[in-house]
Amino acid sequence: MESIEPLNIFQVEPLGRGGIAQYTYCLNQALTKAGGETILITADEYELETQADFTVHKLFPIRNRFTRVFHSRRLAKAVKAISFFHGLYALRKRIKIEKPSVLHFQGTLPFTDWMFSDRKSVV
């Protein structure tokens, strides 16, 4: 009988809080129990980190930090956008190193289809 290697699954949920974070947590827990090797890529202050039975990589900054640091709302938004793209590039680097079997994005993330698709097969 042939042995099957467990799937190495990357789940990307950059907010780290709220309903989507709760859903992603439950999905990762179930996949881990089923024998998958799951890694959650999320915000730097993930609300369920202490309960997780899976690996958590915190690559995305939380939203409110920038409005507390910068007095200008426009400047806070610009810094937040730059930090988000920095998180996406850090994710891309981690993908190249760890080569996950599955890459799953929770929610809609700007530019992810362009950054993480195989451009050779995109028409």
Side-chain angles (χ1 to χ4, degrees):
M1 185 171 174
E2 223 179 286
S3 67
I4 300 173
E5 287 188 38
L7 288 176
N8 180 11
I9 303 165
F10 270 30
Q11 294 259 3
V12 182
E13 193 286 304
L15 297 179
R17 59 181 165 65
I20 298 296
Q22 299 278 331
Y23 170 80
T24 306
Y25 169 81
C26 292
L27 181 57
N28 274 313
Q29 290 289 93
L31 290 168
T32 300
K33 282 184 182 179
E37 187 178 312
T38 62
I39 297 171
L40 174 63
I41 311 295
T42 190
D44 56 3
E45 289 186 15
Y46 178 53
E47 69 180 7
L48 299 168
E49 181 180 10
T50 58
Q51 302 168 2
D53 292 336
F54 47 84
T55 304
V56 177
H57 293 308
K58 299 180 276 185
L59 300 182
F60 294 95
I62 58 171
R63 289 182 180 184
N64 296 333
R65 179 188 325 167
F66 300 113
T67 55
R68 287 191 308 254
V69 173
F70 297 101
H71 298 291
S72 164
R73 181 177 273 176
R74 215 177 256 171
L75 182 59
K77 284 184 177 186
V79 171
K80 182 173 77 171
I82 291 167
S83 296
F84 178 76
F85 281 108
H86 183 268
L88 287 178
Y89 279 107
L91 171 61
R92 189 175 179 139
K93 188 185 266 187
R94 190 165 297 270
I95 289 169
K96 286 182 179 183
I97 293 168
E98 297 189 35
K99 297 178 177 38
S101 310
V102 177
L103 176 61
H104 179 75
F105 292 94
Q106 290 291 4
T108 304
L109 300 175
F111 303 104
T112 54
D113 55 347
W114 174 77
M115 285 184 72
F116 298 102
S117 66
D118 178 10
R119 287 199 243 336
K120 295 175 190 168
S121 64
V122 175
V123 178

